[in-house]
Structure formats: structure tokens, C-alpha cells
Amino acid sequence: MSVYLDYQAAKPVDDRVIEEMLPYFNKKFANPSSLHGDGDIATETLEKARKKVADFINAPKSSDILFTSGATESNNLALIGSALRNKRKGDHIIISEIEHISILNLGKYLERQGFKVSRVPVDQYGIINLDKLERFITDKTILISISTASNEVGSLQPIEEISKIATEKKILFHTDAVASEAVIPIDVQKVPIDLITFSSNDIYGPRGIGALYLKEGVRVNPILIGGGQERGMRSGSENIPGIVGFAKAAEIMKKEIHSESARLKILRDKLINGVLNSIPKSHLNGHPEKRLPNNAHFRFDYIEGESLILSLRDQGVGGATGSACSSKTLEASHTLIAMGLLHEEAHGSLLFTLGRFTKESDIDKAIDVLPDVIKRLRILSPLTPPDLLKKYNEVNN
Ligand code: PMP
């Protein structure tokens, strides 16, 4: 793929991270639970890495970080673990209508286990309605789980306000920060949040490793039962190479996030303006300003997203129709439907996500090939109205 604009689905591992990880596969491979000297060194490595990951979100103590196998597991531990831990206090959980599929499916799972789950609606930009959130709260509400940003349309959620509401009502607040962690700094000392899901690959570390931050005093029931690692809340021998890589990625990201984010925002705006100005009947999904600096989510009338992705693939440009995690279902995106789009509108979407290795020439290529690809598809589409077809034909002659 010559131009990769699908950073939300997967990010390459930074070379600096790979270099840091290598000795931990075959030289420094001991288990931190072992009592010999190499085991002690492994424990030291683990705790140093935990400190770096804690520093990334400004967590006061390293022990606030639990390592998991990735964001899906962190979300499972946050929702199931807090539901089970607090079920004597209440049985009600609040999520939003546009959460990542892992949270949506956890909501359904918890309903099957007897919990009640409310889903907060969003406005046309994909931003949750705080009044409705407050109205959902009852004396049985034990947890609110709202992501920091939509992983699809990139809309930023009012996390500070949700944190205030949750703190005031003494309800646990969990946020999945995966979509924003590489572009928006997390500071748990500025915005108090009880549980945060974040992952390594989303900051250019290896896959298969993630974390759940737990504010001091917050505990969850384990969902993996075993040897009692990670303060008894997540058993299983620690993935030391992965953890070392995650820590290195976090250290780099902490230093570079501001400059990287500013650079991506300039490229994103160039992409958005270039596309909207050159293609008739094109729209930006999500909020124009309150959006991730690396997210450009478009909608093109009379176009079907999958054929658009395939045509772009032929031109060497890789984008997505929406979330990679649900791309194989071919269903219209639940996020776009929740924002009030019709099914046919939701199917005409294209998501470009930018990242550390995106160059200006990548953006130029996308802006260059997209108008022609759209034009060709529209000429073939039975949905394209005659006046637009006529316009396209006039330009051809
Ligand atoms: N949450 C969000 C917002 C995501 O985008 C993803 C997918 N990258 C996940 C959770 C699940 O991550 P994973 O598949 O790495 O467990």
C-alpha cells in the first residue's frame, strides 16, 4: 500500500520500540515470579516499565496501572469487573450509543447477566447529550463508561463534565481512551477518572498489550483467575517484551504528543478542505472542530463505502469505511445511525486516519485521486441524479 491512512485500525511499531524490546525475547526472558536473580531483574524491568506507563497519563502511583492483553480486555475488566465488584450497591450502568463495539457488546452481555444498561444518545455531531446522561442516573447507577472520542467520526466527548457529574454522584467513571491517546494527552491529576482503558499499539507499541488505570482505592473483581499477578486483578505471567515495548512507546509519545498532534492537525485540515472543495455533494461527518486531530471522516452522496475503499485500493490509497472491528459485518455504522444519518448515507462513508509516519505527499495523493474515483463510481451509480451526471459529462467534453 503506497499511502496508508488507516491508523485507527492499526499502527506500525516504532523502530525505537522494537530495538528496546528485542533483548527481552531471548536474553532477558525470565519470569518476574521466579525467585532467582534473573527473576528479580525481570521484576525490576516490569516495575520500571509500569512507572513509564503511569507517567504517560500522569498517574500518581505506578501501582495504579494494571497490564492486560489489550484494549478489549481492559474494557472487559473495567465493565464486568466493576459491575461484579459493586453489584450490592446497584445494578445500573450507563454507556453511550456510539461506544466501540467492545463496550456495546459488553453492555449486551451485562444485560444478559441481569444488569440494566442505559445508552446515552448523541447529537448530529456524535457528541453525547449531558442532560440526558444526568437524567439516566438513578440511585442504582454504579458505573458510567463513555469513550474520550469516537473511534469512527472522531468527535471529542465532554470528559471533564462527565467526570464532574460522576464524582458528584459518587459513581465510577470509566473511559476508553484508545482513539485519542496518541493525539490528546491524558492527565488523571487534572481530570479525575476512575478507570481508563488504553493500549500499546495505539501509541506505536506492539499489539497484545494494554493497560487499565485504576484510581487509588478503586478495585475491580478479576475476570481472569489464576496466579494472582497484577495485584490479584489480572492473573497470567506478564508479557515482559510487550510491556517493555509499551513503556518505550509511552515514553516517546509523552515527549512527542504535542508536536505530533499539531503536525497531524495541519495535514488533517488540508485533507478535509481538499476533499470538500474538490468533490460536489461531499460532507464531513462528526464535529468540525471538536474532533481528533488525526481524523477525517467523509460522506459522499450516491456512493457506497465498500466500493469506494476497493477503488481507492486500486489507486494505492488505504482508508476505511468505519471501525475496523466491525468492518466485516457490512452493517451500517451504529455511530452514524445514532447521529441521525439514514442507512444509505451511513453506507457512503470514508474514514481516513493519520499518524506518526503520514507525510504531506500522502495527503496530496489522497486529494489527487479521490475526485476521479468518486466521479467514476457516481457515473456507474443508479442513484446519481441526472443534473450531477450532466455536470460530470460536461467536464469530460
Ligand atoms: N476501543 C477502541 C476505541 C478501539 O478503537 C479498539 C480497536 N483498536 C478497541 C477498543 C479494541 O482494541 P483491541 O482490538 O486491540 O483489543
Side-chain angles (χ1 to χ4, degrees), residues 22-42:
L22 284 175
Y24 294 91
F25 286 102
N26 58 356
K27 297 195 173 73
K28 305 178 181 178
F29 56 85
N31 189 322
S33 298
S34 296
L35 297 178
H36 46 63
D38 287 350
D40 287 350
I41 294 172

Side-chain angles (χ1 to χ4, degrees), residues 7-11 69-76 98-103 147-152 176-181 197 199-202 207-210 323-325:
Y7 275 80
Q8 184 64 54
K11 292 185 176 69
S69 65
T72 299
E73 188 192 324
S74 297
N75 283 343
N76 273 259
I98 63 155
E99 292 305 302
H100 182 263
I101 189 85
S102 59
I103 300 278
S147 56
T148 51
S150 158
N151 62 304
E152 279 186 65
D176 175 342
V178 164
S180 65
E181 61 178 286
T197 290
S199 91
S200 153
N201 185 239
D202 287 274
R207 287 192 217 172
I209 183 81
S323 169
C325 306

Side-chain angles (χ1 to χ4, degrees), residues 266-377:
I266 293 170
L267 293 181
R268 177 205 71 183
D269 288 343
K270 182 174 188 185
L271 177 60
I272 292 176
N273 293 329
V275 169
L276 296 183
N277 291 335
S278 64
I279 303 177
K281 306 269 181 203
S282 59
H283 318 269
L284 181 71
N285 290 323
H287 199 281
E289 285 107 38
K290 292 181 198 163
R291 70 183 305 122
L292 291 170
N294 65 328
N295 172 299
H297 195 296
F298 301 103
R299 187 172 86 247
F300 304 99
D301 294 353
Y302 328 118
I303 293 281
E304 197 261 321
E306 278 74 30
S307 27
L308 178 54
I309 295 297
L310 295 179
S311 303
L312 280 174
R313 187 163 88 168
D314 294 341
Q315 301 289 325
V317 175
T321 52
S323 169
C325 306
S326 32
S327 70
K328 299 242 155 71
T329 64
L330 291 184
E331 276 172 23
S333 145
H334 65 277
T335 302
L336 298 176
I337 299 297
M339 286 161 59
L341 295 190
L342 301 172
H343 276 257
E344 55 272 28
E345 292 173 323
H347 273 298
S349 289
L350 172 67
L351 169 62
F352 283 141
T353 42
L354 288 54
R356 182 170 286 166
F357 306 102
T358 305
K359 302 184 289 295
E360 188 162 11
S361 58
D362 297 333
I363 301 303
D364 291 338
K365 167 121 190 211
I367 297 173
D368 190 39
V369 302
L370 199 54
D372 262 354
V373 167
I374 298 274
K375 181 172 140 186
R376 260 187 283 126
L377 290 171

Side-chain angles (χ1 to χ4, degrees), residues 188-231:
V188 294
Q189 297 193 43
K190 272 203 192 131
V191 183
I193 299 174
D194 297 296
L195 305 116
I196 304 178
T197 290
F198 57 114
S199 91
S200 153
N201 185 239
D202 287 274
I203 51 170
Y204 307 92
R207 287 192 217 172
I209 183 81
L212 182 66
Y213 158 79
L214 294 175
K215 193 167 84 187
E216 188 171 12
V218 175
R219 290 188 70 83
V220 288
N221 276 16
I223 53 173
L224 286 183
I225 315 298
Q229 290 90 341
E230 301 295 285
R231 297 198 283 139

